[in-house]
Amino acid sequence: MFDLSQYEIEVKKIFRNASPAALYEEALRYEKNATLADTGALIAYSGDKTGRSPKDKRIVKHSDSENDVWWGTVNIGLDEQVFCVNRERAIDYLNTRQRLYVLDAFAGWDPKYRIKVRVICARPYHALFMHNMLIRPTREELETFGEPDCVIINAGAFPANRYTTGMTSKTSVDLSLERREVVILGTQYAGEMKKAVFTLMNYLMPKDGVLPMHCSATCDPETDSSSVLFGLSGTGKTTLSADPKRGLIGDDEHCWTDHGVFNIEGGCYAKAIYLTREAEPQIFDALRYGAVLENVVYDQADHHVDFDDSSITENTRGAYPIEYIPNAKIPCISGQPTDVIFLTCDAFGVLPPVSRLTPEQAEYHFISGYTAKVAGTEVGVTEPEATFSPCFGGPFLVWHPGKYAELLSERIQRYDTNVWLINTGWSGGAYGVGARMKLAYTRAIVDAIHAGELKDAPLQQEPCFGLNMVTKCPNVPDKILIPRQTWADGDAYDATAKKLAKLFHDNFQSYADGVSEKVRHAGPSPS
């Protein structure tokens, strides 16, 4: 008989690796406001927190790992005694529940590197979410699962005590690298569990010389060679990785090993706001029976979801198994990448549509992780605003960004991988003057990269950023490939380019001590 006594949890009614059907039944009976969409997906609500709480994330400071961790605003230290206090608070809460849900599953499709994860939670919605997001074991694998490598103790419905040392709110997401345990208090947002696993992988994998990546990945169905796409929100990563001509390895979290690329997850967690079948047919059709729809608004009469309604949150989400995507490659493993693509939505309108990067430039732009918000997307934003997230996944890094950049540089040189910077943002001027790059042109660029047609394309150096701009690409007008030529006022282009270059330079100073001199000088000139 399975029990949780080793965690001092004495609840008798435990559902271990329950089927989606059983979790549906539990959710509809015991979850507040849970219901079914007309497509068969489970609709659930996360309460007050409808997104991650990065300022409330803590990592235990321990002598065994203290020198490995990049301490600061991303990784805030926590005393081990305080972790134990929060852990006991979480377990005390779980012991008040009549029924608990446990999921034992895997993170990482490559058997050599995968870890065993145990999730202990009080909500069937959370169990179904992680059933979708982790790699589901076979019946035989579950019987021989043994002790987990990581345990998530999710008591998110119960608040942290704000008067506990180191707590800044009623929310706390604590990770102990030594215990391999995560304790969640004060937030019921399911994405905290998914990203806790990714954070742990970001710590463990570099120890084995493996590069964890916050990216999507696809593969050539004939050669099995892969391509990885990095990009922050709004850059087109999800749209461009939904390529019917290629197999989908995954949409968000991967590792690059000596054997190739593997997905960490067993599912996808897609944004659902403004979702349409016309724009995202694969995602739309995946939100069916077995999927979780989070914080969406639906019609009370027929339970049809209104994906345009953001009255609860802009961050509506859908979680579904990756096999719901027709061209998903199962198992989610592929060969070495021929191409690494950095996507940026440059609202300043000065970065080229496509540039080929040197290894040093690849490290620089990887550490920078640039995109730009545009006026009107947030209150108070009246002109383009640069956003930088190191390694395109700053909130989930554990080591210094330079560690991940070194691993990237070493791999692209070892496997002769091409690295590209693609601007999906503005052309012909900054936001408000120019126009957004046509998606058809960006797709043509990505197709040409995958076809190997840009490997020997003519290049021209952009003077401010030192980027090697591709000047010929099939199905893309030559004129737009050199951004200065698209601006009516060349002097205005020069001034805007210098402004953005300075923002890059100032941002990079935070990481300069952890990288080589060559990398420090691979970015734009600040003057």
Side-chain angles (χ1 to χ4, degrees), residues 7 9 87 90-91 94 120 151-155 181-184:
Y7 308 105
I9 295 173
R87 184 182 187 275
I91 286 173
L94 293 177
I120 305 170
V151 179
I152 297 174
I153 302 171
N154 188 345
E181 285 186 350
V182 177
V183 172
I184 299 175

Side-chain angles (χ1 to χ4, degrees), residues 330-344:
I330 310 293
C332 301
I333 305 173
S334 64
Q336 296 296 345
T338 55
D339 300 280
V340 168
I341 298 171
F342 299 153
L343 300 171
T344 180

Side-chain angles (χ1 to χ4, degrees), residues 481-500:
L481 293 171
I482 302 176
R484 195 177 191 276
Q485 294 182 3
T486 67
W487 283 53
D489 185 341
D491 291 340
Y493 169 86
D494 294 338
T496 305
K498 287 179 180 178
K499 178 180 178 180
L500 181 58

Side-chain angles (χ1 to χ4, degrees), residues 215-294:
C215 67
S216 62
T218 64
C219 70
D220 186 304
E222 294 183 3
T223 66
D224 197 41
S225 59
S226 60
S227 171
V228 296
L229 290 88
F230 293 89
L232 302 179
S233 179
T235 58
K237 177 166 64 85
T238 301
T239 301
L240 293 168
S241 61
D243 187 341
K245 299 184 294 295
R246 296 176 65 83
L248 179 68
I249 305 303
D251 74 329
D252 197 43
E253 301 173 5
H254 297 84
C255 288
W256 187 350
T257 75
D258 291 338
H259 309 291
V261 170
F262 70 83
N263 191 353
I264 292 173
E265 301 183 293
C268 303
Y269 190 35
K271 286 186 177 179
I273 195 69
Y274 311 126
L275 181 68
T276 65
R277 175 176 272 119
E278 292 71 31
E280 304 282 1
Q282 292 185 336
I283 295 173
F284 192 94
D285 291 338
L287 297 174
R288 51 186 171 86
Y289 172 78
V292 176
L293 274 167
E294 194 174 48

Side-chain angles (χ1 to χ4, degrees), residues 359-376:
E360 292 77 21
Q361 287 176 327
E363 284 196 55
Y364 183 94
H365 285 276
F366 185 56
I367 290 174
S368 296
Y370 164 72
T371 194
K373 298 172 184 175
V374 298

